[in-house]
Amino acid sequence: MNLNTPAERIAALRAAMKAAHLDAWIAPSADPHLSEYIPEHWQTRRWLSGFDGSVPTLIITADRAELWADSRYWEQATQQLAGSGVVLQKLGFGKTHIDSLAEHLAPNSRVGVAADMLSLAAKRQLEAAFAAKNISLDTAHDLIDALWQDRPPLPQAPVYPHDPAYISEPTAAKLSRVRAAMHEHGATHHLISSLDDIAWLTNLRGSDVPYNPVFLAYLHINDHDATLYVDAAKLNPAATATLAAAGIHVAAYEAITDTIGRLSGSLLLNPDKTAVSTLRKLPPDVTLIEAINPSTLFKACKHENEIAHT
C-alpha cells in the first residue's frame, strides 16, 4: 500500500481507526523519553501531516484533522499543510487540542494514542478532560506502525565518553548525590527516562537525536545498583569502561519494562518525562513518588569550570 501524501496517510489512518473502533487519534510530537527533538522513528505527526516543525500536536477524527501549533509555526504550517486536509489551529487563544476533542467528540467515544508517545502526566490530563463525557483513552495499539511501512528503525549512533576537559564531577559522585536525594524522597528505586539527565549522570554522549548530544537509554537506580538500558552495540570500549568504573550495569534497551514489572517498594520518577509504555508492567502495589528528577536540579547548578567553558 503506497501512502505517498498526507491526504492518503490520513485516509488510511481513518480506516484503521474505524476498524479499531476509535473515534479519534492523537499524534503528539514525542518519543518514549518525552524529548522536544526526537529520532526519525517517532516522527509520526510529521509523516501524517507533512508539517516538520518540532512541537505541534495533530488530532484526527472521522471528519476533522487539526494541527495545533504555537505562533512560531503559523506561517510554516499554513504553507506545509496546503492540500493535506489538515486545518491549522493556533495555540495561544485559550484552547488546546484536548479542548477540541472534549468539545466535538460524542459521549462514550474512544480516543487512541501510542503509549510510547504519551507521558503519565499527559495521560491523566486527557482522562480528566474526557471524564465528563465518559470518553475513554486507548493506548494499547500504535495504529501508525502498520501503516508506515518504511518507518525508520531506532538510531544506532555510537555512544562515547564526554571529553574529560568538560566533566566537573565523576559519574560515581553524581550517582551518590542522586541516591541521597532518593532517600530524602523516601524512594527505594528511581527511574530516569529523560535523555539529557542520563547523558549528564553517566558522563556519556551520543547523537541519536540531530543536534542533541544524547542517546536512547533508560537508567534505573536503587540503593546498591544502577543499570543503563541501552543497545550495548552502540557503546564504544571507552564508554563501557566508564560505566564499569562507576558500577553501572548494562541491559538491553527494551528490557526496562520487565525490570519495572519486578519492582517492589517505591519508585521515584518525573511524570512529565515518563511514558505510559514504560510503566505498563508496573505492579499495582508499588508506590509512585512523583517529582522533578534530582539530576535535573543538580545539572542546573553549574560548577565554576562549566561556567568558564560557557
Side-chain angles (χ1 to χ4, degrees), residues 162-170 174 200 301-310:
H162 194 29
D163 188 330
Y166 300 104
I167 295 175
S168 60
E169 188 178 7
K174 292 177 177 179
W200 180 85
C301 299
K302 304 303 180 187
H303 290 252
E304 289 184 4
N305 64 329
E306 291 174 321
I307 295 172
H309 287 310
T310 301

Side-chain angles (χ1 to χ4, degrees), residues 24-253:
W25 184 262
I26 302 174
S29 300
D31 64 9
H33 309 277
L34 287 306
S35 309
E36 179 175 358
Y37 302 101
I38 59 181
E40 293 294 318
H41 179 80
W42 286 287
Q43 294 278 6
T44 59
R45 185 261 307 144
R46 185 177 70 187
W47 181 79
L48 278 169
S49 68
F51 174 78
D52 60 8
S54 63
V55 179
T57 298
L58 177 70
I59 59 173
I60 306 290
T61 68
D63 57 1
R64 303 171 71 88
E66 301 174 346
L67 182 86
W68 288 79
D70 64 56
S71 59
R72 292 174 294 171
Y73 298 110
W74 292 348
E75 291 188 16
Q76 176 186 349
T78 298
Q79 297 171 9
Q80 292 185 331
L81 296 178
S84 67
V86 179
V87 176
L88 170 63
Q89 297 288 356
K90 297 180 177 180
L91 287 170
F93 298 98
K95 290 183 64 175
T96 68
H97 68 282
I98 300 175
D99 300 319
S100 180
L101 288 171
E103 176 184 346
H104 293 107
L105 289 176
N108 304 310
S109 293
R110 297 178 69 239
V111 177
V113 59
D116 61 352
M117 301 175 72
L118 183 69
S119 72
L120 179 60
K123 177 177 182 284
R124 292 168 177 166
Q125 184 182 15
L126 286 165
E127 289 173 337
F130 294 164
K133 284 186 166 182
N134 196 36
I135 298 171
S136 60
L137 193 63
D138 185 328
T139 61
H141 307 96
D142 184 356
L143 298 185
I144 305 300
D145 208 38
L147 301 177
W148 194 359
Q149 296 186 357
D150 58 348
R151 186 171 187 171
L154 297 185
Q156 293 295 315
V159 178
Y160 53 89
H162 194 29
D163 188 330
Y166 300 104
I167 295 175
S168 60
E169 188 178 7
T171 301
K174 292 177 177 179
L175 279 173
S176 294
R177 285 209 282 158
V178 169
R179 287 188 171 111
M182 289 169 55
H183 292 160
E184 292 177 5
H185 281 287
T188 54
H189 301 273
H190 179 32
L191 170 66
I192 306 176
S193 297
S194 47
L195 303 184
D196 54 319
D197 285 300
I198 294 170
W200 180 85
L201 258 174
T202 59
N203 287 323
L204 299 179
R205 297 294 185 266
S207 55
D208 282 346
V209 183
Y211 314 112
N212 291 259
V214 297
F215 52 95
L216 294 182
Y218 300 92
L219 186 60
H220 170 245
I221 304 169
N222 60 30
D223 275 344
H224 310 291
D225 293 303
T227 302
L228 182 70
Y229 294 81
V230 64
D231 183 348
K234 294 160 61 171
L235 299 171
N236 72 10
T240 301
T242 296
L243 294 170
I248 299 176
H249 308 289
V250 175
Y253 176 72

